[in-house]
PDB file of all heavy atoms in Angstrom:
ATOM      1  N   GLY Q   1       0.731  -1.226   0.034  1.00  0.00           N
ATOM      2  CA  GLY Q   1       0.053  -0.019   0.008  1.00  0.00           C
ATOM      3  C   GLY Q   1       0.764   1.293   0.047  1.00  0.00           C
ATOM      4  O   GLY Q   1       0.300   2.284   0.245  1.00  0.00           O
ATOM      5  N   ALA Q   2       2.125   1.221  -0.278  1.00  0.00           N
ATOM      6  CA  ALA Q   2       3.026   2.400  -0.146  1.00  0.00           C
ATOM      7  C   ALA Q   2       2.731   3.197  -1.486  1.00  0.00           C
ATOM      8  O   ALA Q   2       2.665   2.482  -2.694  1.00  0.00           O
ATOM      9  CB  ALA Q   2       4.326   2.027  -0.047  1.00  0.00           C
ATOM     10  N   GLY Q   3       2.700   4.557  -1.492  1.00  0.00           N
ATOM     11  CA  GLY Q   3       2.604   5.287  -2.700  1.00  0.00           C
ATOM     12  C   GLY Q   3       4.043   5.476  -3.317  1.00  0.00           C
ATOM     13  O   GLY Q   3       4.970   4.956  -2.810  1.00  0.00           O
ATOM     14  N   HIS Q   4       4.055   6.181  -4.445  1.00  0.00           N
ATOM     15  CA  HIS Q   4       5.210   6.342  -5.192  1.00  0.00           C
ATOM     16  C   HIS Q   4       6.265   7.120  -4.489  1.00  0.00           C
ATOM     17  O   HIS Q   4       7.447   6.809  -4.458  1.00  0.00           O
ATOM     18  CB  HIS Q   4       4.951   6.929  -6.608  1.00  0.00           C
ATOM     19  CG  HIS Q   4       4.202   6.019  -7.544  1.00  0.00           C
ATOM     20  ND1 HIS Q   4       4.746   4.955  -8.069  1.00  0.00           N
ATOM     21  CD2 HIS Q   4       2.934   6.220  -8.048  1.00  0.00           C
ATOM     22  CE1 HIS Q   4       4.013   4.341  -8.970  1.00  0.00           C
ATOM     23  NE2 HIS Q   4       2.809   5.030  -9.004  1.00  0.00           N
ATOM     24  N   LEU Q   5       5.867   8.226  -3.766  1.00  0.00           N
ATOM     25  CA  LEU Q   5       6.845   9.107  -3.169  1.00  0.00           C
ATOM     26  C   LEU Q   5       7.507   8.267  -1.961  1.00  0.00           C
ATOM     27  O   LEU Q   5       8.744   8.309  -1.730  1.00  0.00           O
ATOM     28  CB  LEU Q   5       6.148  10.359  -2.660  1.00  0.00           C
ATOM     29  CG  LEU Q   5       5.869  11.350  -3.767  1.00  0.00           C
ATOM     30  CD1 LEU Q   5       5.144  12.605  -3.048  1.00  0.00           C
ATOM     31  CD2 LEU Q   5       7.091  11.781  -4.524  1.00  0.00           C
ATOM     32  N   ARG Q   6       6.661   7.582  -1.069  1.00  0.00           N
ATOM     33  CA  ARG Q   6       7.229   6.831  -0.059  1.00  0.00           C
ATOM     34  C   ARG Q   6       8.138   5.609  -0.533  1.00  0.00           C
ATOM     35  O   ARG Q   6       9.054   5.389   0.104  1.00  0.00           O
ATOM     36  CB  ARG Q   6       5.910   6.223   0.722  1.00  0.00           C
ATOM     37  CG  ARG Q   6       6.352   5.475   1.957  1.00  0.00           C
ATOM     38  CD  ARG Q   6       5.213   5.087   2.764  1.00  0.00           C
ATOM     39  NE  ARG Q   6       5.595   4.388   4.056  1.00  0.00           N
ATOM     40  CZ  ARG Q   6       4.867   3.851   5.003  1.00  0.00           C
ATOM     41  NH1 ARG Q   6       3.474   3.927   4.790  1.00  0.00           N
ATOM     42  NH2 ARG Q   6       5.328   3.400   6.030  1.00  0.00           N
ATOM     43  N   THR Q   7       7.700   5.013  -1.703  1.00  0.00           N
ATOM     44  CA  THR Q   7       8.529   3.991  -2.301  1.00  0.00           C
ATOM     45  C   THR Q   7       9.906   4.607  -2.648  1.00  0.00           C
ATOM     46  O   THR Q   7      10.895   3.849  -2.388  1.00  0.00           O
ATOM     47  CB  THR Q   7       7.836   3.297  -3.475  1.00  0.00           C
ATOM     48  OG1 THR Q   7       6.535   2.744  -3.039  1.00  0.00           O
ATOM     49  CG2 THR Q   7       8.677   2.306  -4.035  1.00  0.00           C
ATOM     50  N   LEU Q   8       9.720   5.791  -3.299  1.00  0.00           N
ATOM     51  CA  LEU Q   8      11.113   6.389  -3.783  1.00  0.00           C
ATOM     52  C   LEU Q   8      11.984   6.680  -2.582  1.00  0.00           C
ATOM     53  O   LEU Q   8      13.158   6.304  -2.630  1.00  0.00           O
ATOM     54  CB  LEU Q   8      10.751   7.530  -4.592  1.00  0.00           C
ATOM     55  CG  LEU Q   8      11.966   8.452  -5.038  1.00  0.00           C
ATOM     56  CD1 LEU Q   8      12.865   7.703  -5.841  1.00  0.00           C
ATOM     57  CD2 LEU Q   8      11.485   9.684  -5.757  1.00  0.00           C
ATOM     58  N   PHE Q   9      11.522   7.423  -1.646  1.00  0.00           N
ATOM     59  CA  PHE Q   9      12.408   8.002  -0.578  1.00  0.00           C
ATOM     60  C   PHE Q   9      12.671   6.985   0.474  1.00  0.00           C
ATOM     61  O   PHE Q   9      13.708   7.121   1.237  1.00  0.00           O
ATOM     62  CB  PHE Q   9      11.836   9.231   0.008  1.00  0.00           C
ATOM     63  CG  PHE Q   9      11.821  10.376  -1.038  1.00  0.00           C
ATOM     64  CD1 PHE Q   9      10.680  10.857  -1.716  1.00  0.00           C
ATOM     65  CD2 PHE Q   9      13.133  10.956  -1.341  1.00  0.00           C
ATOM     66  CE1 PHE Q   9      10.701  11.853  -2.568  1.00  0.00           C
ATOM     67  CE2 PHE Q   9      13.058  12.141  -2.187  1.00  0.00           C
ATOM     68  CZ  PHE Q   9      11.861  12.522  -2.866  1.00  0.00           C
ATOM     69  N   GLU Q  10      11.856   5.987   0.768  1.00  0.00           N
ATOM     70  CA  GLU Q  10      12.074   5.091   1.831  1.00  0.00           C
ATOM     71  C   GLU Q  10      12.580   3.654   1.380  1.00  0.00           C
ATOM     72  O   GLU Q  10      13.190   3.054   2.346  1.00  0.00           O
ATOM     73  CB  GLU Q  10      10.846   4.857   2.686  1.00  0.00           C
ATOM     74  CG  GLU Q  10      10.260   6.122   3.375  1.00  0.00           C
ATOM     75  CD  GLU Q  10       9.038   5.889   4.229  1.00  0.00           C
ATOM     76  OE1 GLU Q  10       8.816   4.567   4.524  1.00  0.00           O
ATOM     77  OE2 GLU Q  10       8.520   6.775   4.712  1.00  0.00           O
ATOM     78  N   ILE Q  11      12.223   3.261   0.224  1.00  0.00           N
ATOM     79  CA  ILE Q  11      12.635   1.981  -0.261  1.00  0.00           C
ATOM     80  C   ILE Q  11      13.758   1.981  -1.316  1.00  0.00           C
ATOM     81  O   ILE Q  11      14.868   1.455  -1.146  1.00  0.00           O
ATOM     82  CB  ILE Q  11      11.442   1.161  -0.886  1.00  0.00           C
ATOM     83  CG1 ILE Q  11      10.294   1.154   0.018  1.00  0.00           C
ATOM     84  CG2 ILE Q  11      11.985  -0.185  -1.419  1.00  0.00           C
ATOM     85  CD1 ILE Q  11      10.594   0.533   1.361  1.00  0.00           C
ATOM     86  N   VAL Q  12      13.547   2.786  -2.395  1.00  0.00           N
ATOM     87  CA  VAL Q  12      14.556   2.932  -3.514  1.00  0.00           C
ATOM     88  C   VAL Q  12      15.765   3.719  -3.137  1.00  0.00           C
ATOM     89  O   VAL Q  12      16.964   3.357  -3.421  1.00  0.00           O
ATOM     90  CB  VAL Q  12      13.789   3.541  -4.747  1.00  0.00           C
ATOM     91  CG1 VAL Q  12      14.802   3.541  -5.875  1.00  0.00           C
ATOM     92  CG2 VAL Q  12      12.709   2.547  -5.120  1.00  0.00           C
ATOM     93  N   LEU Q  13      15.592   4.878  -2.506  1.00  0.00           N
ATOM     94  CA  LEU Q  13      16.706   5.745  -2.230  1.00  0.00           C
ATOM     95  C   LEU Q  13      17.807   5.109  -1.462  1.00  0.00           C
ATOM     96  O   LEU Q  13      19.030   5.191  -1.872  1.00  0.00           O
ATOM     97  CB  LEU Q  13      16.294   7.081  -1.518  1.00  0.00           C
ATOM     98  CG  LEU Q  13      17.331   8.095  -1.272  1.00  0.00           C
ATOM     99  CD1 LEU Q  13      17.975   8.483  -2.530  1.00  0.00           C
ATOM    100  CD2 LEU Q  13      16.740   9.357  -0.596  1.00  0.00           C
ATOM    101  N   PRO Q  14      17.624   4.504  -0.419  1.00  0.00           N
ATOM    102  CA  PRO Q  14      18.655   3.724   0.361  1.00  0.00           C
ATOM    103  C   PRO Q  14      19.427   2.732  -0.340  1.00  0.00           C
ATOM    104  O   PRO Q  14      20.532   2.522  -0.180  1.00  0.00           O
ATOM    105  CB  PRO Q  14      17.964   3.147   1.579  1.00  0.00           C
ATOM    106  CG  PRO Q  14      16.645   3.902   1.762  1.00  0.00           C
ATOM    107  CD  PRO Q  14      16.305   4.265   0.385  1.00  0.00           C
ATOM    108  N   LEU Q  15      18.815   2.264  -1.446  1.00  0.00           N
ATOM    109  CA  LEU Q  15      19.409   1.087  -2.249  1.00  0.00           C
ATOM    110  C   LEU Q  15      20.263   1.693  -3.390  1.00  0.00           C
ATOM    111  O   LEU Q  15      21.123   0.957  -3.932  1.00  0.00           O
ATOM    112  CB  LEU Q  15      18.291   0.270  -2.920  1.00  0.00           C
ATOM    113  CG  LEU Q  15      17.422  -0.538  -2.017  1.00  0.00           C
ATOM    114  CD1 LEU Q  15      16.360  -1.319  -2.702  1.00  0.00           C
ATOM    115  CD2 LEU Q  15      18.269  -1.466  -1.215  1.00  0.00           C
ATOM    116  N   VAL Q  16      20.211   2.904  -3.574  1.00  0.00           N
ATOM    117  CA  VAL Q  16      21.023   3.608  -4.719  1.00  0.00           C
ATOM    118  C   VAL Q  16      21.839   4.769  -4.146  1.00  0.00           C
ATOM    119  O   VAL Q  16      22.200   5.563  -4.957  1.00  0.00           O
ATOM    120  CB  VAL Q  16      20.025   4.163  -5.748  1.00  0.00           C
ATOM    121  CG1 VAL Q  16      19.333   3.053  -6.558  1.00  0.00           C
ATOM    122  CG2 VAL Q  16      19.035   5.248  -5.336  1.00  0.00           C
ATOM    123  N   ILE Q  17      22.141   4.693  -2.952  1.00  0.00           N
ATOM    124  CA  ILE Q  17      23.104   5.689  -2.330  1.00  0.00           C
ATOM    125  C   ILE Q  17      24.371   5.807  -3.068  1.00  0.00           C
ATOM    126  O   ILE Q  17      24.854   6.894  -3.181  1.00  0.00           O
ATOM    127  CB  ILE Q  17      23.275   5.257  -0.834  1.00  0.00           C
ATOM    128  CG1 ILE Q  17      22.116   5.660  -0.056  1.00  0.00           C
ATOM    129  CG2 ILE Q  17      24.414   6.165  -0.284  1.00  0.00           C
ATOM    130  CD1 ILE Q  17      21.652   7.169  -0.018  1.00  0.00           C
ATOM    131  N   PRO Q  18      25.148   4.696  -3.487  1.00  0.00           N
ATOM    132  CA  PRO Q  18      26.360   4.876  -4.191  1.00  0.00           C
ATOM    133  C   PRO Q  18      26.224   5.700  -5.429  1.00  0.00           C
ATOM    134  O   PRO Q  18      27.023   6.554  -5.802  1.00  0.00           O
ATOM    135  CB  PRO Q  18      26.732   3.390  -4.618  1.00  0.00           C
ATOM    136  CG  PRO Q  18      26.052   2.564  -3.546  1.00  0.00           C
ATOM    137  CD  PRO Q  18      24.840   3.257  -3.208  1.00  0.00           C
ATOM    138  N   TYR Q  19      25.104   5.502  -6.170  1.00  0.00           N
ATOM    139  CA  TYR Q  19      24.857   6.289  -7.387  1.00  0.00           C
ATOM    140  C   TYR Q  19      24.580   7.806  -7.180  1.00  0.00           C
ATOM    141  O   TYR Q  19      25.076   8.706  -7.780  1.00  0.00           O
ATOM    142  CB  TYR Q  19      23.708   5.768  -8.231  1.00  0.00           C
ATOM    143  CG  TYR Q  19      23.879   4.425  -8.635  1.00  0.00           C
ATOM    144  CD1 TYR Q  19      23.535   3.165  -7.919  1.00  0.00           C
ATOM    145  CD2 TYR Q  19      24.527   4.007  -9.839  1.00  0.00           C
ATOM    146  CE1 TYR Q  19      23.770   1.868  -8.409  1.00  0.00           C
ATOM    147  CE2 TYR Q  19      24.779   2.782 -10.393  1.00  0.00           C
ATOM    148  CZ  TYR Q  19      24.240   1.726  -9.616  1.00  0.00           C
ATOM    149  OH  TYR Q  19      24.566   0.465 -10.042  1.00  0.00           O
ATOM    150  N   VAL Q  20      23.726   7.956  -6.069  1.00  0.00           N
ATOM    151  CA  VAL Q  20      23.362   9.291  -5.624  1.00  0.00           C
ATOM    152  C   VAL Q  20      24.667  10.132  -5.130  1.00  0.00           C
ATOM    153  O   VAL Q  20      24.863  11.233  -5.336  1.00  0.00           O
ATOM    154  CB  VAL Q  20      22.392   9.249  -4.491  1.00  0.00           C
ATOM    155  CG1 VAL Q  20      22.120  10.650  -3.948  1.00  0.00           C
ATOM    156  CG2 VAL Q  20      21.091   8.712  -5.112  1.00  0.00           C
ATOM    157  N   SER Q  21      25.559   9.362  -4.438  1.00  0.00           N
ATOM    158  CA  SER Q  21      26.789  10.017  -3.888  1.00  0.00           C
ATOM    159  C   SER Q  21      27.644  10.494  -5.084  1.00  0.00           C
ATOM    160  O   SER Q  21      28.236  11.451  -4.904  1.00  0.00           O
ATOM    161  CB  SER Q  21      27.620   9.009  -3.075  1.00  0.00           C
ATOM    162  OG  SER Q  21      27.954   7.960  -3.830  1.00  0.00           O
ATOM    163  N   VAL Q  22      27.702   9.721  -6.184  1.00  0.00           N
ATOM    164  CA  VAL Q  22      28.501  10.217  -7.367  1.00  0.00           C
ATOM    165  C   VAL Q  22      27.871  11.496  -7.943  1.00  0.00           C
ATOM    166  O   VAL Q  22      28.564  12.369  -8.287  1.00  0.00           O
ATOM    167  CB  VAL Q  22      28.549   8.972  -8.322  1.00  0.00           C
ATOM    168  CG1 VAL Q  22      29.247   9.565  -9.640  1.00  0.00           C
ATOM    169  CG2 VAL Q  22      29.345   7.802  -7.822  1.00  0.00           C
ATOM    170  N   VAL Q  23      26.491  11.530  -8.092  1.00  0.00           N
ATOM    171  CA  VAL Q  23      25.843  12.592  -8.603  1.00  0.00           C
ATOM    172  C   VAL Q  23      26.075  13.869  -7.692  1.00  0.00           C
ATOM    173  O   VAL Q  23      26.321  14.931  -8.179  1.00  0.00           O
ATOM    174  CB  VAL Q  23      24.314  12.360  -8.732  1.00  0.00           C
ATOM    175  CG1 VAL Q  23      23.584  13.594  -9.088  1.00  0.00           C
ATOM    176  CG2 VAL Q  23      24.089  11.320  -9.829  1.00  0.00           C
ATOM    177  N   LEU Q  24      25.947  13.653  -6.361  1.00  0.00           N
ATOM    178  CA  LEU Q  24      26.172  14.693  -5.457  1.00  0.00           C
ATOM    179  C   LEU Q  24      27.634  15.251  -5.588  1.00  0.00           C
ATOM    180  O   LEU Q  24      27.856  16.482  -5.630  1.00  0.00           O
ATOM    181  CB  LEU Q  24      26.051  14.215  -4.114  1.00  0.00           C
ATOM    182  CG  LEU Q  24      24.587  13.993  -3.574  1.00  0.00           C
ATOM    183  CD1 LEU Q  24      24.679  13.290  -2.096  1.00  0.00           C
ATOM    184  CD2 LEU Q  24      23.836  15.238  -3.491  1.00  0.00           C
ATOM    185  N   MET Q  25      28.633  14.367  -5.692  1.00  0.00           N
ATOM    186  CA  MET Q  25      30.018  14.770  -5.828  1.00  0.00           C
ATOM    187  C   MET Q  25      30.337  15.582  -7.061  1.00  0.00           C
ATOM    188  O   MET Q  25      30.878  16.679  -7.029  1.00  0.00           O
ATOM    189  CB  MET Q  25      30.972  13.635  -5.760  1.00  0.00           C
ATOM    190  CG  MET Q  25      32.424  13.970  -5.796  1.00  0.00           C
ATOM    191  SD  MET Q  25      33.629  12.595  -5.908  1.00  0.00           S
ATOM    192  CE  MET Q  25      33.227  12.121  -7.531  1.00  0.00           C
ATOM    193  N   PHE Q  26      29.745  15.078  -8.220  1.00  0.00           N
ATOM    194  CA  PHE Q  26      29.866  15.810  -9.469  1.00  0.00           C
ATOM    195  C   PHE Q  26      29.224  17.204  -9.344  1.00  0.00           C
ATOM    196  O   PHE Q  26      29.668  18.152  -9.924  1.00  0.00           O
ATOM    197  CB  PHE Q  26      29.303  14.954 -10.632  1.00  0.00           C
ATOM    198  CG  PHE Q  26      30.216  13.898 -11.054  1.00  0.00           C
ATOM    199  CD1 PHE Q  26      29.750  12.784 -11.674  1.00  0.00           C
ATOM    200  CD2 PHE Q  26      31.504  13.826 -10.672  1.00  0.00           C
ATOM    201  CE1 PHE Q  26      30.462  11.608 -12.099  1.00  0.00           C
ATOM    202  CE2 PHE Q  26      32.275  12.678 -11.009  1.00  0.00           C
ATOM    203  CZ  PHE Q  26      31.763  11.617 -11.748  1.00  0.00           C
ATOM    204  N   SER Q  27      28.054  17.222  -8.879  1.00  0.00           N
ATOM    205  CA  SER Q  27      27.293  18.502  -8.777  1.00  0.00           C
ATOM    206  C   SER Q  27      28.010  19.533  -7.866  1.00  0.00           C
ATOM    207  O   SER Q  27      28.063  20.581  -8.135  1.00  0.00           O
ATOM    208  CB  SER Q  27      25.939  18.304  -8.122  1.00  0.00           C
ATOM    209  OG  SER Q  27      25.074  17.329  -8.920  1.00  0.00           O
ATOM    210  N   VAL Q  28      28.525  19.034  -6.791  1.00  0.00           N
ATOM    211  CA  VAL Q  28      29.274  19.927  -5.707  1.00  0.00           C
ATOM    212  C   VAL Q  28      30.558  20.513  -6.532  1.00  0.00           C
ATOM    213  O   VAL Q  28      30.833  21.672  -6.492  1.00  0.00           O
ATOM    214  CB  VAL Q  28      29.661  19.191  -4.500  1.00  0.00           C
ATOM    215  CG1 VAL Q  28      30.675  20.035  -3.751  1.00  0.00           C
ATOM    216  CG2 VAL Q  28      28.490  18.897  -3.742  1.00  0.00           C
ATOM    217  N   ILE Q  29      31.303  19.657  -7.158  1.00  0.00           N
ATOM    218  CA  ILE Q  29      32.570  20.030  -7.845  1.00  0.00           C
ATOM    219  C   ILE Q  29      32.218  20.964  -8.965  1.00  0.00           C
ATOM    220  O   ILE Q  29      32.855  22.000  -9.179  1.00  0.00           O
ATOM    221  CB  ILE Q  29      33.408  18.887  -8.324  1.00  0.00           C
ATOM    222  CG1 ILE Q  29      33.788  17.966  -7.158  1.00  0.00           C
ATOM    223  CG2 ILE Q  29      34.516  19.267  -9.285  1.00  0.00           C
ATOM    224  CD1 ILE Q  29      34.595  16.774  -7.511  1.00  0.00           C
ATOM    225  N   THR Q  30      31.198  20.600  -9.697  1.00  0.00           N
ATOM    226  CA  THR Q  30      30.723  21.499 -10.949  1.00  0.00           C
ATOM    227  C   THR Q  30      30.333  22.849 -10.431  1.00  0.00           C
ATOM    228  O   THR Q  30      30.858  23.893 -11.043  1.00  0.00           O
ATOM    229  CB  THR Q  30      29.618  20.887 -11.661  1.00  0.00           C
ATOM    230  OG1 THR Q  30      30.030  19.677 -12.143  1.00  0.00           O
ATOM    231  CG2 THR Q  30      29.211  21.793 -12.773  1.00  0.00           C
ATOM    232  N   GLN Q  31      29.543  22.993  -9.359  1.00  0.00           N
ATOM    233  CA  GLN Q  31      29.050  24.287  -8.948  1.00  0.00           C
ATOM    234  C   GLN Q  31      30.208  25.035  -8.228  1.00  0.00           C
ATOM    235  O   GLN Q  31      30.231  26.336  -8.361  1.00  0.00           O
ATOM    236  CB  GLN Q  31      27.794  24.106  -8.090  1.00  0.00           C
ATOM    237  CG  GLN Q  31      27.324  25.507  -7.544  1.00  0.00           C
ATOM    238  CD  GLN Q  31      26.697  26.325  -8.601  1.00  0.00           C
ATOM    239  OE1 GLN Q  31      26.450  25.807  -9.796  1.00  0.00           O
ATOM    240  NE2 GLN Q  31      26.744  27.654  -8.531  1.00  0.00           N
ATOM    241  N   TRP Q  32      31.007  24.336  -7.335  1.00  0.00           N
ATOM    242  CA  TRP Q  32      32.078  25.105  -6.673  1.00  0.00           C
ATOM    243  C   TRP Q  32      33.036  25.726  -7.483  1.00  0.00           C
ATOM    244  O   TRP Q  32      33.559  26.784  -7.266  1.00  0.00           O
ATOM    245  CB  TRP Q  32      32.729  24.109  -5.669  1.00  0.00           C
ATOM    246  CG  TRP Q  32      33.655  24.598  -4.803  1.00  0.00           C
ATOM    247  CD1 TRP Q  32      34.980  24.910  -4.960  1.00  0.00           C
ATOM    248  CD2 TRP Q  32      33.368  25.114  -3.420  1.00  0.00           C
ATOM    249  NE1 TRP Q  32      35.520  25.459  -3.939  1.00  0.00           N
ATOM    250  CE2 TRP Q  32      34.618  25.689  -2.867  1.00  0.00           C
ATOM    251  CE3 TRP Q  32      32.198  25.211  -2.621  1.00  0.00           C
ATOM    252  CZ2 TRP Q  32      34.633  26.277  -1.679  1.00  0.00           C
ATOM    253  CZ3 TRP Q  32      32.202  25.749  -1.348  1.00  0.00           C
ATOM    254  CH2 TRP Q  32      33.541  26.265  -0.876  1.00  0.00           C
ATOM    255  N   ASN Q  33      33.383  24.992  -8.555  1.00  0.00           N
ATOM    256  CA  ASN Q  33      34.395  25.534  -9.539  1.00  0.00           C
ATOM    257  C   ASN Q  33      33.893  26.391 -10.546  1.00  0.00           C
ATOM    258  O   ASN Q  33      34.605  26.913 -11.494  1.00  0.00           O
ATOM    259  CB  ASN Q  33      35.214  24.376 -10.216  1.00  0.00           C
ATOM    260  CG  ASN Q  33      35.975  23.627  -9.109  1.00  0.00           C
ATOM    261  OD1 ASN Q  33      36.525  24.224  -8.190  1.00  0.00           O
ATOM    262  ND2 ASN Q  33      36.186  22.329  -9.345  1.00  0.00           N
ATOM    263  N   SER Q  34      32.538  26.595 -10.786  1.00  0.00           N
ATOM    264  CA  SER Q  34      31.944  27.389 -11.820  1.00  0.00           C
ATOM    265  C   SER Q  34      32.203  28.709 -11.639  1.00  0.00           C
ATOM    266  O   SER Q  34      31.916  29.418 -10.666  1.00  0.00           O
ATOM    267  CB  SER Q  34      30.397  27.103 -11.811  1.00  0.00           C
ATOM    268  OG  SER Q  34      29.787  27.719 -12.756  1.00  0.00           O
ATOM    269  N   TRP Q  35      32.724  29.335 -12.685  1.00  0.00           N
ATOM    270  CA  TRP Q  35      32.882  30.887 -12.824  1.00  0.00           C
ATOM    271  C   TRP Q  35      32.407  31.481 -14.082  1.00  0.00           C
ATOM    272  O   TRP Q  35      32.117  32.713 -14.152  1.00  0.00           O
ATOM    273  CB  TRP Q  35      34.386  31.156 -12.701  1.00  0.00           C
ATOM    274  CG  TRP Q  35      35.244  30.566 -13.744  1.00  0.00           C
ATOM    275  CD1 TRP Q  35      35.807  29.364 -13.828  1.00  0.00           C
ATOM    276  CD2 TRP Q  35      35.474  31.194 -15.061  1.00  0.00           C
ATOM    277  NE1 TRP Q  35      36.528  29.266 -14.996  1.00  0.00           N
ATOM    278  CE2 TRP Q  35      36.308  30.412 -15.838  1.00  0.00           C
ATOM    279  CE3 TRP Q  35      35.235  32.559 -15.637  1.00  0.00           C
ATOM    280  CZ2 TRP Q  35      36.815  30.716 -17.123  1.00  0.00           C
ATOM    281  CZ3 TRP Q  35      35.613  32.786 -17.020  1.00  0.00           C
ATOM    282  CH2 TRP Q  35      36.345  31.867 -17.633  1.00  0.00           C
ATOM    283  N   MET Q  36      32.175  30.600 -15.102  1.00  0.00           N
ATOM    284  CA  MET Q  36      31.650  31.108 -16.373  1.00  0.00           C
ATOM    285  C   MET Q  36      30.319  31.676 -16.279  1.00  0.00           C
ATOM    286  O   MET Q  36      30.031  32.775 -16.731  1.00  0.00           O
ATOM    287  CB  MET Q  36      31.864  29.930 -17.447  1.00  0.00           C
ATOM    288  CG  MET Q  36      31.328  30.408 -18.908  1.00  0.00           C
ATOM    289  SD  MET Q  36      32.316  31.852 -19.506  1.00  0.00           S
ATOM    290  CE  MET Q  36      33.781  30.947 -19.994  1.00  0.00           C
ATOM    291  N   LEU Q  37      29.342  30.888 -15.702  1.00  0.00           N
ATOM    292  CA  LEU Q  37      27.976  31.323 -15.628  1.00  0.00           C
ATOM    293  C   LEU Q  37      27.854  32.606 -14.771  1.00  0.00           C
ATOM    294  O   LEU Q  37      27.143  33.514 -15.195  1.00  0.00           O
ATOM    295  CB  LEU Q  37      27.079  30.166 -15.084  1.00  0.00           C
ATOM    296  CG  LEU Q  37      26.797  29.047 -16.026  1.00  0.00           C
ATOM    297  CD1 LEU Q  37      25.830  28.089 -15.406  1.00  0.00           C
ATOM    298  CD2 LEU Q  37      26.286  29.517 -17.402  1.00  0.00           C
ATOM    299  N   PRO Q  38      28.483  32.647 -13.570  1.00  0.00           N
ATOM    300  CA  PRO Q  38      28.397  33.946 -12.832  1.00  0.00           C
ATOM    301  C   PRO Q  38      29.036  35.093 -13.660  1.00  0.00           C
ATOM    302  O   PRO Q  38      28.431  36.161 -13.433  1.00  0.00           O
ATOM    303  CB  PRO Q  38      29.268  33.581 -11.630  1.00  0.00           C
ATOM    304  CG  PRO Q  38      29.228  32.082 -11.422  1.00  0.00           C
ATOM    305  CD  PRO Q  38      29.144  31.522 -12.822  1.00  0.00           C
ATOM    306  N   LYS Q  39      30.031  34.854 -14.333  1.00  0.00           N
ATOM    307  CA  LYS Q  39      30.631  36.024 -15.125  1.00  0.00           C
ATOM    308  C   LYS Q  39      29.613  36.465 -16.176  1.00  0.00           C
ATOM    309  O   LYS Q  39      29.683  37.735 -16.496  1.00  0.00           O
ATOM    310  CB  LYS Q  39      31.906  35.539 -15.718  1.00  0.00           C
ATOM    311  CG  LYS Q  39      32.748  36.737 -16.431  1.00  0.00           C
ATOM    312  CD  LYS Q  39      34.057  36.287 -16.884  1.00  0.00           C
ATOM    313  CE  LYS Q  39      34.812  37.247 -17.662  1.00  0.00           C
ATOM    314  NZ  LYS Q  39      35.016  38.493 -16.760  1.00  0.00           N
ATOM    315  N   ILE Q  40      28.788  35.480 -16.801  1.00  0.00           N
ATOM    316  CA  ILE Q  40      27.966  35.929 -17.700  1.00  0.00           C
ATOM    317  C   ILE Q  40      26.644  36.629 -17.396  1.00  0.00           C
ATOM    318  O   ILE Q  40      26.193  37.578 -17.756  1.00  0.00           O
ATOM    319  CB  ILE Q  40      27.574  34.646 -18.684  1.00  0.00           C
ATOM    320  CG1 ILE Q  40      28.802  34.202 -19.457  1.00  0.00           C
ATOM    321  CG2 ILE Q  40      26.551  34.989 -19.651  1.00  0.00           C
ATOM    322  CD1 ILE Q  40      28.550  32.974 -20.193  1.00  0.00           C
ATOM    323  N   TYR Q  41      26.141  35.989 -16.082  1.00  0.00           N
ATOM    324  CA  TYR Q  41      24.875  36.398 -15.726  1.00  0.00           C
ATOM    325  C   TYR Q  41      24.861  37.399 -14.580  1.00  0.00           C
ATOM    326  O   TYR Q  41      23.825  38.033 -14.272  1.00  0.00           O
ATOM    327  CB  TYR Q  41      24.044  35.157 -15.277  1.00  0.00           C
ATOM    328  CG  TYR Q  41      23.677  34.196 -16.285  1.00  0.00           C
ATOM    329  CD1 TYR Q  41      24.143  32.896 -16.287  1.00  0.00           C
ATOM    330  CD2 TYR Q  41      22.976  34.608 -17.385  1.00  0.00           C
ATOM    331  CE1 TYR Q  41      23.829  31.985 -17.301  1.00  0.00           C
ATOM    332  CE2 TYR Q  41      22.670  33.733 -18.534  1.00  0.00           C
ATOM    333  CZ  TYR Q  41      23.063  32.467 -18.428  1.00  0.00           C
ATOM    334  OH  TYR Q  41      22.815  31.543 -19.436  1.00  0.00           O
ATOM    335  N   LEU Q  42      25.958  37.638 -13.877  1.00  0.00           N
ATOM    336  CA  LEU Q  42      26.044  38.590 -12.788  1.00  0.00           C
ATOM    337  C   LEU Q  42      26.979  39.782 -13.112  1.00  0.00           C
ATOM    338  O   LEU Q  42      28.060  39.549 -13.498  1.00  0.00           O
ATOM    339  CB  LEU Q  42      26.663  37.911 -11.596  1.00  0.00           C
ATOM    340  CG  LEU Q  42      25.876  36.731 -10.922  1.00  0.00           C
ATOM    341  CD1 LEU Q  42      26.578  36.229  -9.705  1.00  0.00           C
ATOM    342  CD2 LEU Q  42      24.458  37.075 -10.621  1.00  0.00           C
TER     343      LEU Q  42
END
């Protein structure tokens, strides 16, 4: 009887933590080192 959101965040998410950690690391590094977009838009 679990809905999609509960299934995603309580069942699926703990099983894909390694993949999520890679996405998190790439996102952090990309944004931390980003200077081109701020130079264009700010």
Side-chain angles (χ1 to χ4, degrees):
H4 288 294
L5 289 179
R6 186 174 182 182
T7 301
L8 172 60
F9 290 103
E10 294 186 11
I11 306 296
V12 177
L13 180 58
L15 298 175
V16 294
I17 287 296
Y19 298 91
V20 172
S21 63
V22 175
V23 173
L24 286 175
M25 186 186 68
F26 287 159
S27 297
V28 169
I29 293 176
T30 299
Q31 182 61 25
W32 188 272
N33 294 327
S34 176
W35 62 270
M36 179 61 75
L37 288 182
K39 185 173 178 60
I40 293 174
Y41 294 123
L42 299 180

